[in-house]
Amino acid sequence: MKEQVLRYLKQIPDGKVFHIQAFHHIGSRSSVQRIISQLVSEGLIVRSVVRGFYFKPKELKIGDNTISYSPGADSLAKAWANHYGYILVGTAIEATNRVGFFTQMQVQSCFWSDGPTREFKTGNSITYITHVSSKLLWGGSTKEGLLYRAMTGVKACRIDDGQLRTAFKRLQIKDEEISSYCMALAASPLPKDWLKKIKQFRHINYLA
């Protein structure tokens, strides 16, 4: 059984966080836990700060030196959300920065989720998860979702057509695709001023 666990472990990239349940198809829970504990003792995997999560050690060469890499708090948070099936997206502030509406950067690493509010800490790295309403999570991690959250973070009157075009370009959305993205956003729970602006923007720039 240990050989089966090792074969499955080889498929997991070094440094990637995983949950022990990924191995439960191999054998009983207690047997898998015993083998995983052995592998931790042997140094083949490392137990993370969050119960049930582990990662394979990864070594990075910097010049003549070799250092051991440990996943940051963001990686742990994403593995946690993926394991439990939670939506995990950046905040409105992060979105406005990514599309170029503002240049204000988040000092701390923060995400919005439909999962419970909590924080992850690994070394000096801290990631904060805040539970928010499903309305704020519209579109998930798609480009539409990112644009939506950027638009909820600023009033429509403060953004002109040039900034909108830049936002689409920064997300590598082609000109011929912009109209369909506007239609998708028009069906989102955006404020009325943004819905009106998107409709006008699409009509003037892409339906003329």
Side-chain angles (χ1 to χ4, degrees), residues 90-123:
T91 66
I93 293 176
E94 187 266 346
T96 57
N97 180 71
R98 283 188 62 184
V99 303
F101 287 169
F102 290 121
T103 56
Q104 177 185 1
M105 293 290 291
Q106 289 185 156
V107 177
Q108 299 171 324
S109 181
C110 304
F111 291 94
W112 285 347
S113 177
D114 56 347
T117 294
R118 64 171 301 170
E119 67 178 56
F120 295 89
K121 183 176 182 180
T122 58

Short mmCIF file of all heavy atoms in Angstrom, two decimals, residues 90-123:
data_model
loop_
_atom_site.label_atom_id
_atom_site.label_comp_id
_atom_site.label_asym_id
_atom_site.label_seq_id
_atom_site.Cartn_x
_atom_site.Cartn_y
_atom_site.Cartn_z
N GLY A 90 -10.37 37.47 -5.79
CA GLY A 90 -9.75 38.67 -5.26
C GLY A 90 -10.80 39.68 -4.85
O GLY A 90 -11.96 39.60 -5.27
N THR A 91 -10.42 40.65 -4.07
CA THR A 91 -11.35 41.69 -3.61
C THR A 91 -11.56 42.73 -4.70
O THR A 91 -10.89 42.73 -5.74
CB THR A 91 -10.80 42.38 -2.36
OG1 THR A 91 -9.60 43.10 -2.73
CG2 THR A 91 -10.48 41.38 -1.26
N ALA A 92 -12.49 43.65 -4.46
CA ALA A 92 -12.76 44.72 -5.41
C ALA A 92 -11.53 45.61 -5.60
O ALA A 92 -11.24 46.07 -6.71
CB ALA A 92 -13.95 45.55 -4.94
N ILE A 93 -10.79 45.87 -4.52
CA ILE A 93 -9.58 46.69 -4.62
C ILE A 93 -8.56 46.03 -5.52
O ILE A 93 -7.94 46.67 -6.39
CB ILE A 93 -8.98 46.95 -3.22
CG1 ILE A 93 -9.92 47.83 -2.39
CG2 ILE A 93 -7.61 47.61 -3.34
CD1 ILE A 93 -9.43 48.05 -0.97
N GLU A 94 -8.38 44.73 -5.35
CA GLU A 94 -7.44 43.99 -6.18
C GLU A 94 -7.87 44.02 -7.63
O GLU A 94 -7.05 44.17 -8.55
CB GLU A 94 -7.33 42.55 -5.67
CG GLU A 94 -6.26 41.70 -6.33
CD GLU A 94 -6.76 40.87 -7.50
OE1 GLU A 94 -8.00 40.75 -7.63
OE2 GLU A 94 -5.94 40.34 -8.24
N ALA A 95 -9.17 43.91 -7.88
CA ALA A 95 -9.70 43.91 -9.24
C ALA A 95 -9.51 45.27 -9.92
O ALA A 95 -9.12 45.34 -11.09
CB ALA A 95 -11.17 43.52 -9.23
N THR A 96 -9.80 46.36 -9.20
CA THR A 96 -9.64 47.69 -9.80
C THR A 96 -8.18 47.94 -10.18
O THR A 96 -7.90 48.61 -11.18
CB THR A 96 -10.11 48.80 -8.84
OG1 THR A 96 -9.40 48.70 -7.60
CG2 THR A 96 -11.60 48.71 -8.58
N ASN A 97 -7.27 47.40 -9.41
CA ASN A 97 -5.85 47.55 -9.73
C ASN A 97 -5.48 46.74 -10.97
O ASN A 97 -4.75 47.21 -11.85
CB ASN A 97 -5.00 47.12 -8.54
CG ASN A 97 -3.52 47.27 -8.82
OD1 ASN A 97 -2.99 48.37 -8.90
ND2 ASN A 97 -2.83 46.15 -8.98
N ARG A 98 -5.98 45.51 -11.06
CA ARG A 98 -5.62 44.64 -12.18
C ARG A 98 -6.11 45.17 -13.51
O ARG A 98 -5.44 45.02 -14.53
CB ARG A 98 -6.16 43.22 -11.94
CG ARG A 98 -5.33 42.43 -10.94
CD ARG A 98 -5.78 40.98 -10.89
NE ARG A 98 -5.62 40.30 -12.17
CZ ARG A 98 -6.01 39.06 -12.39
NH1 ARG A 98 -6.59 38.36 -11.42
NH2 ARG A 98 -5.83 38.49 -13.57
N VAL A 99 -7.29 45.79 -13.52
CA VAL A 99 -7.81 46.30 -14.80
C VAL A 99 -7.36 47.73 -15.08
O VAL A 99 -7.66 48.28 -16.14
CB VAL A 99 -9.36 46.22 -14.85
CG1 VAL A 99 -9.83 44.79 -14.62
CG2 VAL A 99 -10.00 47.18 -13.85
N GLY A 100 -6.66 48.35 -14.13
CA GLY A 100 -6.11 49.68 -14.37
C GLY A 100 -6.99 50.84 -13.98
O GLY A 100 -6.68 51.99 -14.32
N PHE A 101 -8.09 50.59 -13.26
CA PHE A 101 -8.94 51.71 -12.82
C PHE A 101 -8.22 52.55 -11.77
O PHE A 101 -8.31 53.77 -11.76
CB PHE A 101 -10.25 51.18 -12.23
CG PHE A 101 -11.22 50.65 -13.25
CD1 PHE A 101 -12.34 49.94 -12.86
CD2 PHE A 101 -11.01 50.84 -14.61
CE1 PHE A 101 -13.26 49.45 -13.80
CE2 PHE A 101 -11.91 50.36 -15.55
CZ PHE A 101 -13.04 49.65 -15.15
N PHE A 102 -7.52 51.89 -10.88
CA PHE A 102 -6.75 52.56 -9.84
C PHE A 102 -5.41 51.87 -9.70
O PHE A 102 -5.21 50.74 -10.16
CB PHE A 102 -7.48 52.52 -8.49
CG PHE A 102 -8.71 53.37 -8.43
CD1 PHE A 102 -9.95 52.81 -8.14
CD2 PHE A 102 -8.65 54.73 -8.65
CE1 PHE A 102 -11.09 53.58 -8.07
CE2 PHE A 102 -9.79 55.51 -8.59
CZ PHE A 102 -11.01 54.94 -8.31
N THR A 103 -4.48 52.52 -9.04
CA THR A 103 -3.17 51.92 -8.80
C THR A 103 -2.97 51.63 -7.31
O THR A 103 -1.87 51.30 -6.88
CB THR A 103 -2.04 52.85 -9.28
OG1 THR A 103 -2.17 54.13 -8.64
CG2 THR A 103 -2.09 53.03 -10.77
N GLN A 104 -4.05 51.76 -6.54
CA GLN A 104 -3.96 51.47 -5.11
C GLN A 104 -3.78 49.98 -4.90
O GLN A 104 -4.56 49.17 -5.38
CB GLN A 104 -5.22 51.93 -4.39
CG GLN A 104 -5.23 51.62 -2.90
CD GLN A 104 -6.57 51.99 -2.24
OE1 GLN A 104 -7.47 52.46 -2.91
NE2 GLN A 104 -6.66 51.77 -0.95
N MET A 105 -2.72 49.60 -4.20
CA MET A 105 -2.43 48.19 -3.96
C MET A 105 -2.87 47.78 -2.55
O MET A 105 -2.82 48.57 -1.62
CB MET A 105 -0.93 47.93 -4.10
CG MET A 105 -0.41 48.10 -5.51
SD MET A 105 -1.00 46.82 -6.63
CE MET A 105 -0.11 45.40 -6.00
N GLN A 106 -3.32 46.52 -2.44
CA GLN A 106 -3.62 45.98 -1.12
C GLN A 106 -2.32 45.72 -0.36
O GLN A 106 -1.39 45.11 -0.89
CB GLN A 106 -4.40 44.66 -1.24
CG GLN A 106 -5.82 44.83 -1.73
CD GLN A 106 -6.58 43.51 -1.72
OE1 GLN A 106 -7.80 43.51 -1.64
NE2 GLN A 106 -5.90 42.41 -1.82
N VAL A 107 -2.26 46.19 0.86
CA VAL A 107 -1.07 45.97 1.67
C VAL A 107 -1.00 44.51 2.09
O VAL A 107 0.07 43.90 2.14
CB VAL A 107 -1.08 46.88 2.92
CG1 VAL A 107 0.13 46.60 3.80
CG2 VAL A 107 -1.10 48.35 2.49
N GLN A 108 -2.16 43.92 2.37
CA GLN A 108 -2.22 42.53 2.80
C GLN A 108 -2.85 41.67 1.72
O GLN A 108 -3.59 42.15 0.87
CB GLN A 108 -3.03 42.42 4.09
CG GLN A 108 -2.43 43.22 5.25
CD GLN A 108 -3.38 43.27 6.44
OE1 GLN A 108 -4.59 43.35 6.28
NE2 GLN A 108 -2.81 43.24 7.64
N SER A 109 -2.54 40.39 1.74
CA SER A 109 -3.13 39.45 0.80
C SER A 109 -4.53 39.07 1.29
O SER A 109 -4.67 38.48 2.35
CB SER A 109 -2.24 38.21 0.67
OG SER A 109 -2.80 37.30 -0.25
N CYS A 110 -5.54 39.42 0.50
CA CYS A 110 -6.93 39.19 0.92
C CYS A 110 -7.73 38.56 -0.22
O CYS A 110 -7.51 38.87 -1.39
CB CYS A 110 -7.59 40.50 1.33
SG CYS A 110 -6.75 41.41 2.63
N PHE A 111 -8.66 37.71 0.15
CA PHE A 111 -9.57 37.11 -0.82
C PHE A 111 -10.99 37.16 -0.27
O PHE A 111 -11.20 37.22 0.95
CB PHE A 111 -9.21 35.63 -1.08
CG PHE A 111 -7.92 35.43 -1.82
CD1 PHE A 111 -6.74 35.21 -1.13
CD2 PHE A 111 -7.89 35.44 -3.20
CE1 PHE A 111 -5.54 35.02 -1.80
CE2 PHE A 111 -6.70 35.25 -3.89
CZ PHE A 111 -5.53 35.04 -3.17
N TRP A 112 -11.97 37.13 -1.18
CA TRP A 112 -13.37 36.98 -0.81
C TRP A 112 -13.79 35.55 -1.11
O TRP A 112 -13.30 34.92 -2.05
CB TRP A 112 -14.24 37.93 -1.61
CG TRP A 112 -14.15 39.36 -1.16
CD1 TRP A 112 -13.59 39.84 -0.01
CD2 TRP A 112 -14.66 40.50 -1.86
NE1 TRP A 112 -13.71 41.20 0.06
CE2 TRP A 112 -14.37 41.64 -1.06
CE3 TRP A 112 -15.33 40.69 -3.06
CZ2 TRP A 112 -14.73 42.93 -1.44
CZ3 TRP A 112 -15.69 41.97 -3.44
CH2 TRP A 112 -15.40 43.08 -2.64
N SER A 113 -14.72 35.03 -0.30
CA SER A 113 -15.12 33.63 -0.47
C SER A 113 -16.53 33.41 0.07
O SER A 113 -17.05 34.21 0.85
CB SER A 113 -14.13 32.71 0.27
OG SER A 113 -14.52 31.36 0.19
N ASP A 114 -17.13 32.29 -0.37
CA ASP A 114 -18.40 31.86 0.22
C ASP A 114 -18.12 30.91 1.38
O ASP A 114 -19.04 30.42 2.02
CB ASP A 114 -19.31 31.21 -0.81
CG ASP A 114 -18.65 30.02 -1.52
OD1 ASP A 114 -17.41 29.86 -1.40
OD2 ASP A 114 -19.37 29.28 -2.21
N GLY A 115 -16.85 30.64 1.63
CA GLY A 115 -16.46 29.83 2.78
C GLY A 115 -16.35 30.69 4.02
O GLY A 115 -16.58 31.90 3.98
N PRO A 116 -15.99 30.10 5.15
CA PRO A 116 -15.89 30.85 6.40
C PRO A 116 -14.73 31.84 6.40
O PRO A 116 -13.72 31.64 5.73
CB PRO A 116 -15.68 29.76 7.45
CG PRO A 116 -15.04 28.62 6.70
CD PRO A 116 -15.67 28.67 5.34
N THR A 117 -14.92 32.92 7.15
CA THR A 117 -13.84 33.89 7.34
C THR A 117 -12.73 33.26 8.17
O THR A 117 -12.99 32.65 9.21
CB THR A 117 -14.37 35.15 8.06
OG1 THR A 117 -15.31 35.81 7.20
CG2 THR A 117 -13.24 36.11 8.39
N ARG A 118 -11.50 33.39 7.69
CA ARG A 118 -10.37 32.84 8.44
C ARG A 118 -9.07 33.40 7.89
O ARG A 118 -9.08 34.16 6.91
CB ARG A 118 -10.36 31.32 8.39
CG ARG A 118 -10.15 30.70 7.01
CD ARG A 118 -9.95 29.22 7.10
NE ARG A 118 -8.79 28.90 7.92
CZ ARG A 118 -8.48 27.66 8.34
NH1 ARG A 118 -9.27 26.65 8.02
NH2 ARG A 118 -7.42 27.43 9.07
N GLU A 119 -7.96 33.07 8.51
CA GLU A 119 -6.67 33.50 8.01
C GLU A 119 -5.71 32.32 7.95
O GLU A 119 -5.85 31.36 8.71
CB GLU A 119 -6.08 34.62 8.85
CG GLU A 119 -5.68 34.22 10.27
CD GLU A 119 -5.06 35.38 11.03
OE1 GLU A 119 -5.70 36.43 11.14
OE2 GLU A 119 -3.92 35.22 11.52
N PHE A 120 -4.77 32.41 7.02
CA PHE A 120 -3.74 31.39 6.88
C PHE A 120 -2.39 32.06 7.07
O PHE A 120 -2.14 33.14 6.52
CB PHE A 120 -3.80 30.76 5.48
CG PHE A 120 -5.06 29.99 5.23
CD1 PHE A 120 -6.18 30.62 4.70
CD2 PHE A 120 -5.14 28.64 5.52
CE1 PHE A 120 -7.35 29.92 4.46
CE2 PHE A 120 -6.31 27.92 5.29
CZ PHE A 120 -7.41 28.57 4.77
N LYS A 121 -1.53 31.43 7.83
CA LYS A 121 -0.21 32.00 8.09
C LYS A 121 0.86 30.94 7.94
O LYS A 121 0.77 29.87 8.54
CB LYS A 121 -0.16 32.59 9.50
CG LYS A 121 1.17 33.27 9.81
CD LYS A 121 1.14 33.94 11.19
CE LYS A 121 2.45 34.65 11.47
NZ LYS A 121 2.43 35.30 12.81
N THR A 122 1.86 31.23 7.12
CA THR A 122 3.01 30.37 6.97
C THR A 122 4.25 31.25 7.04
O THR A 122 4.46 32.07 6.15
CB THR A 122 3.00 29.59 5.64
OG1 THR A 122 2.96 30.52 4.55
CG2 THR A 122 1.80 28.67 5.55
N GLY A 123 5.02 31.11 8.08
CA GLY A 123 6.18 31.98 8.26
C GLY A 123 5.73 33.43 8.43
O GLY A 123 4.89 33.73 9.28
#
